[in-house]
DNA sequence: GATGAATGAGGGTTCATTCAT
DNA sequence: TATGAATGAACCCTCATTCAT
């Protein structure tokens, strides 16, 4: 299977390049990243890199939009028969896990934002629409008295910011927590904390936290519901 | 006073350079920013710029640490006789106003984080100590039953992330809010929202918000206190 | 006949390459042409191209000398029993038709000249000898009073320049004539014009031009052989 | 006068660059010319060259249009009270002398034509208009019986081609003439020859050549009028 | 103080060519 | 045969910085 092997090797290299690119772009942004460094990180020479990619810009666009696409699924908030607490909990968990698992992809997006979103801008309207839909969903919850009245759009952006920060400022977080890395327990503790903070902040503290408490008994915030 | 005038001109130029540098570094990070662009933005030629600065790295370090220094005051949380709600409210307000007023300084810090904090790292321990002190303060509140039991360190970092996001992702925020800029009313609404969310999340919703409402009546979450 | 078919395919590809090479070399010269573009134009990949050719230089030499060879026949001026007018008319017609039919081959030669004839130089002596022979022929005509005394060598080079220009500056010619292309009638009109101009310039035009003058500016000087 | 000296040095360098660029572009066309070679020829390093120019394309455009501008004056055919023979003689002389004096500028134009006139194209209409005006002038001469009826536009293009060829194919011309360079006598002989050929071709042989002979006695084609 | 000039390194990209397969 | 991959040189251009003036 020489053809299959060659193809496999090519695919592997494509992945190496993608990963190298993500690391460099996440670290230094589009302008600050150098194809030199990307090539070196992927174990290629600079002209060799250009055998696989067309241009730095194309490569950047590709990895950036790949991240956006991956996020697309996360945003797919479905409230079919679920309680507000359940929906928000799931969203927070998914978003945090993405930050833990793919911190660089999150960072590439933040770098793009810092630069003024030159590439992402055209797609921004799509995400605004989705966010608006989610906000409408929340507003309905509020109108039906299921939730404390908060600004839905701000809430969504706050959740986004908090979860994102565990990727963007990971080094700082680890340093402040005095940990070399986040183990599975740390991750769960953070997820629980953020979920609790947000849900309580939305006046959803009691039930869902109690539900979570069944799984993780070492949690006290249930008291917060009865001041 | 020609000497005074000359000095004044020099100082003004220093400020121009500083501002230009902040804009470029905030946008493109240390690596991606070019002295060319900084010089142009400051209305200087490249050699002229080097008359005022020693190197790109020095300039970067300067503006970055300047930002850190400005933040230092914000972090100065003083709980002398103040309630938790009051302390947190003040902190959230100060931090958000800084994000609104100096978004670029916030961004420069985030860019530094994305790059792995090469310059900031040596100073990080200082901020960890301060944050730890603040966390201890919060823990004492919790121990005295003044607050819902949340992870104090995570809470501080969450507040930091949420407030920071209004600077880092300002474009996105504005786009989602369908506003060209944030007016004074928008800012107050956001401050109220974030304060309410966090304080409620900490089980501090009722009293303090009511207290704050006395000063700033344009606040809605007070309703949440009267179920 | 798979062998025959394969051979045929190979020959066809050789022709495609040759044509693609001529187009690129004619447009951009030896240095400015890229094997990439030649390969693309011939419908081949770059390594595939190198299967058929040894090097860019070889390919260039080949197509250039091919052009020279084709010209060799044009230069074969045979005055066996023909009048000066007849010989010159035939030469002008042949050369112009070559320019019309193969403008790119003419251009490739001009590009080579512009570059200082690095490849053609070794063969130049051959053409000088031929041209000298033709000049001698003309001189004899002059000596025998068959023609106005003009510098034979300059005359030959002038004819060459004029006829060549319809290939080299074709675009300009078409643009000035406000035509998208030269039809058969245009070609004949140009041939008649040039023939008339040169022959009259050589004192060979009297009778026919006088005749033509009554109807049209440029007319077949073939009749000029009669008086 | 250090300022004056510096300026002088700069201007000199600008001229060196211009000349070097003309040589390279004339030889290899836009694509084939390298800034490396231009810089070397001008005695500069490559980045140093970019201190004086913005880009290769700009430099090319500059020298090309400079040539066009210089030609603009040549084209300024003024028939105020002059005979056709005089007007054409002057034009031929001016154009030939330009070819002798600035062969590279002529070549750069031919190279541009070979490449499809990507830069010159926008300006072509201007030259077509001028040529059309000159053609109209010639047509009037013909209508008034001052000249043999030839196609005026073709005639102009032929003159252009012949005169141009002494620049474009200079090496070939010298080689065929067995001369290392064209002396003043050679130049005059060529001017006389071309003038005689074209004027005779236009049926303007007798009178004007005689007139020119008064100014430049070293001319033989006068004999052509006698037989 | 401030300007024009210079420099060596490196930016992204394409070149002609070769080598496995 | 013909393709994917590799290579080293060269492409045009910008970088941060320095040095005369």
């Amino acid at each position: 299977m020489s053809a299959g092997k060659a193809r496999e090797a090519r695919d592997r290299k494509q992945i190496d390049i993608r990963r190298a690119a993500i690391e460099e772009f996440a670290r230094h942004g589009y302008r600050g990243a150098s194809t030199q460094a990307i090539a070196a990180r992927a174990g290629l020479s600079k002209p060799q890199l250009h055998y696989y990619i067309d241009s730095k810009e194309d490569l950047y666009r590709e990895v950036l939009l790949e991240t956006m696409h991956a996020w697309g699924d996360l945003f797919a908030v479905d409230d079919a028969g679920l309680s507000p607490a359940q929906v928000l909990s799931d969203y927070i968990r998914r978003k945090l896990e993405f930050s833990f698992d793919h911190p660089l992809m999150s960072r590439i997006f933040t770098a793009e934002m810092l630069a003024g979103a030159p590439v992402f801008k055209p797609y921004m309207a799509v995400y605004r629409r989705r966010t608006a839909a989610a906000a409408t969903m929340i507003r309905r919850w509020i109108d039906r008295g299921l939730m404390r009245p908060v600004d839905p759009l701000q809430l969504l952006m706050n959740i986004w910011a908090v979860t994102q920060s565990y990727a963007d400022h990971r080094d700082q977080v680890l340093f402040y927590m005095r940990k070399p890395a986040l183990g599975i327990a740390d991750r769960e503790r953070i997820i629980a904390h953020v979920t609790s903070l947000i849900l309580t902040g939305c006046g959803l503290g009691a039930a869902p936290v109690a539900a979570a408490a069944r799984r993780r008994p070492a949690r006290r915030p249930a008291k917060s519901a009865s001041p």
Side-chain angles (χ1 to χ4, degrees), chain A residues 202-214:
Chain A
C202 292
L204 297 166
V209 167
R214 263 174 303 181

Side-chain angles (χ1 to χ4, degrees), chain A residues 61 64-65 112 116-127 129:
Chain A
R61 186 185 310 277
L64 178 64
L65 295 185
E112 165 79 5
V119 170
F120 178 60
K121 201 161 256 169
Y123 306 88
M124 234 181 196
V126 177
Y127 289 84
R129 214 175 315 127

Side-chain angles (χ1 to χ4, degrees), chain A residues 3-31:
Chain A
K5 252 195 168 174
R7 206 212 147 115
E8 188 188 321
R10 175 158 52 80
D11 289 357
R12 188 156 15 88
K13 221 156 262 183
Q14 289 273 16
I15 290 169
D16 287 351
I17 290 171
R18 218 71 75 95
R19 194 173 46 217
I22 289 174
E23 288 180 24
E24 287 298 318
F25 286 134
R27 233 173 212 286
H28 304 293
Y30 172 66
R31 283 258 267 270

Side-chain angles (χ1 to χ4, degrees), chain A residues 42 51 54 95 104 147 159 178:
Chain A
Y51 177 79
D54 278 346
K95 187 72 170 47
L104 296 177
M147 212 179 115
I159 293 174
R178 296 175 182 276

Side-chain angles (χ1 to χ4, degrees), chain A residues 7-223:
Chain A
R7 206 212 147 115
E8 188 188 321
R10 175 158 52 80
D11 289 357
R12 188 156 15 88
K13 221 156 262 183
Q14 289 273 16
I15 290 169
D16 287 351
I17 290 171
R18 218 71 75 95
R19 194 173 46 217
I22 289 174
E23 288 180 24
E24 287 298 318
F25 286 134
R27 233 173 212 286
H28 304 293
Y30 172 66
R31 283 258 267 270
S34 82
T35 57
Q36 182 97 283
I38 293 171
R41 215 184 258 275
L44 300 167
S45 69
K46 231 184 340 171
Q48 212 176 333
L49 174 68
H50 270 87
Y51 177 79
Y52 293 94
I53 68 163
D54 278 346
S55 70
K56 181 187 175 183
E57 198 183 334
D58 276 14
L59 180 56
Y60 176 68
R61 186 185 310 277
E62 227 173 280
V63 296
L64 178 64
L65 295 185
E66 193 182 347
T67 297
M68 312 297 9
H69 187 70
W71 265 340
D73 301 338
L74 293 183
F75 275 105
V77 175
D78 187 9
D79 67 339
L82 295 177
S83 71
Q86 200 60 49
V87 170
L88 291 181
S89 296
D90 284 359
Y91 175 52
I92 289 167
R93 168 174 290 275
R94 281 202 308 262
K95 187 72 170 47
L96 271 175
E97 281 178 344
F98 188 87
S99 279
F100 293 143
D101 292 336
H102 311 286
L104 296 177
M105 291 178 95
S106 289
R107 283 169 135 161
I108 234 176
F109 178 76
T110 292
E112 165 79 5
M113 283 295 115
L114 292 182
V119 170
F120 178 60
K121 201 161 256 169
Y123 306 88
M124 234 181 196
V126 177
Y127 289 84
R128 174 166 67 182
R129 214 175 315 127
R130 284 192 209 176
T131 306
T136 301
M137 176 185 71
I138 292 172
R139 180 153 297 288
R140 267 197 234 106
W141 290 339
I142 294 172
D143 290 343
R144 285 155 60 197
L146 300 176
M147 212 179 115
R148 202 171 72 84
V150 301
D151 183 325
L153 179 57
Q154 301 297 332
L155 172 65
L156 285 169
M157 295 194 297
N158 297 155
I159 293 174
W160 194 84
V162 167
T163 53
Q164 184 83 352
S165 76
Y166 285 94
D168 294 356
H169 302 272
R170 183 190 221 186
D171 295 347
Q172 208 186 358
V173 167
L174 289 174
F175 186 77
Y176 280 23
M177 292 178 71
R178 296 175 182 276
K179 303 237 174 186
L182 292 183
I184 184 81
D186 298 312
R187 291 166 52 140
E188 285 302 326
R189 209 169 303 131
I190 289 171
I191 292 172
H193 160 83
V194 172
T195 306
S196 155
L197 182 68
I198 297 295
L199 263 58
T200 306
C202 292
L204 297 166
V209 167
R214 263 174 303 181
R215 296 187 309 184
R216 295 171 205 294
R219 189 109 3 121
R220 295 192 290 164
K223 276 198 282 183

